[in-house]
Every structure is written in C-alpha cells, then in structure tokens.
Amino acid sequence: YQNRIKNQAAESASKAGGEWAGWTLTPHHLMLNMNLWQGAVALPFCIYYGELQQVADFVSRNPEVGTDLVYFALAMALGNLFIFKLQALAGALTVTKTTTVRKLISIIFSVVRFGHPMSATQWCAAGIVFVSEPVSKALFPSPDKAKAH
C-alpha cells in the first residue's frame, strides 16, 4: 500500500502545473504522517481514560525510567525506519515474513533464556512457522527458479 501511495503521488506530481511538481514522496514522509495521525487519534483517548496522567505520575515517581523511555523510543524509530525501507524495497510479503520470524525468534529466545513456559500446541505452532517457508517452496516452486535448475 505504501508503494501505491508513493506511485500515485509521483504520478500526480508529474502532471503539468501540479502544485507538487518537483516534490518526491519518500517512505519517511509516509511514516511521519502515519505516526502523526496515529498520535493525534490516540492522544484524546489517553487523556480521556487518564492514561496520560498515570504515565506522568509514574515517570515523576521514578525519574530513572525516563532514560529507558528515550532508548525505547529511539529503538522503535530505528525499527520503523528499517521496516519502511524493507517495505519499499522488497514488498509487503517480505515484511510480513520478516516480522513473523522476528517475533517467533523473540519468543524462542524468551523460552530458552528466561525459562518462560510454552504448551505443546504453542511449540507445534512455532514449528509450523519455521517449516512453512521450505514446505511452501517445495510444493509451489517459483517458475523462474525452476527454470534455472
């Protein structure tokens, strides 16, 4: 969807006399606008339900958490930049696969490192995620790769 918006913006900008002529839409513009709108929609709810005040009270009682919040915000921003860049270069399917595998690896790390329990069903689901890609490639080979072998 991000690439479609970018292409539509480029198309409208290239029209003669368009007000956006010469302007290039980048993934950073899309990310900035998405985050601004998300914040604008979420902020009233946080205020209404008192969550913003709870956070402010917690940070004032525990000022040492402020540094951790800054690190967390920077890590999130950097992660978003990578995801948006991956989306622009490789497409939505690659982003979906990448984020799914990253989450799965985080879960497995949590189980191994911290001893968090997983049920048999959860282990089965984790196994399905790991084997889904090779099984998919075996059952439905890409026509370009099939010709190369």
Side-chain angles (χ1 to χ4, degrees):
Y1 191 73
Q2 168 189 344
N3 291 336
R4 188 170 74 184
I5 293 172
K6 183 179 174 182
N7 293 338
Q8 286 174 348
E11 197 176 289
S12 67
S14 67
K15 292 180 183 175
E19 78 177 275
W20 300 105
W23 190 74
T24 304
L25 182 67
T26 67
H28 299 96
H29 292 110
L30 296 171
M31 184 173 66
L32 173 67
N33 282 292
M34 181 189 72
N35 288 333
L36 285 175
W37 280 105
Q38 184 179 17
V41 170
L43 185 61
F45 287 100
C46 290
I47 293 170
Y48 178 78
Y49 289 107
E51 293 178 11
L52 197 60
Q53 187 59 48
Q54 289 176 8
V55 170
D57 292 343
F58 180 81
V59 172
S60 67
R61 285 191 315 270
N62 305 286
E64 66 277 2
V65 79
T67 305
D68 291 337
L69 288 173
V70 171
Y71 289 149
F72 181 69
L74 290 173
M76 277 184 29
L78 188 61
N80 280 338
L81 288 172
F82 282 119
I83 293 296
F84 269 76
K85 190 67 170 179
L86 183 61
Q87 164 72 26
L89 296 175
L93 183 59
T94 301
V95 171
T96 303
K97 289 178 182 179
T98 303
T99 55
T100 301
V101 170
R102 183 203 58 81
K103 289 175 186 177
L104 182 62
I105 290 170
S106 295
I107 291 168
I108 300 299
F109 176 79
S110 173
V111 169
V112 172
R113 174 70 170 89
F114 300 110
H116 295 139
M118 276 180 54
S119 69
T121 305
Q122 290 169 322
W123 278 110
C124 184
I128 289 171
V129 170
F130 272 122
V131 300
S132 64
E133 183 69 19
V135 168
S136 175
K137 285 184 179 183
L139 294 176
F140 308 104
S142 170
D144 297 332
K145 292 180 183 176
K147 291 178 188 175
H149 295 293

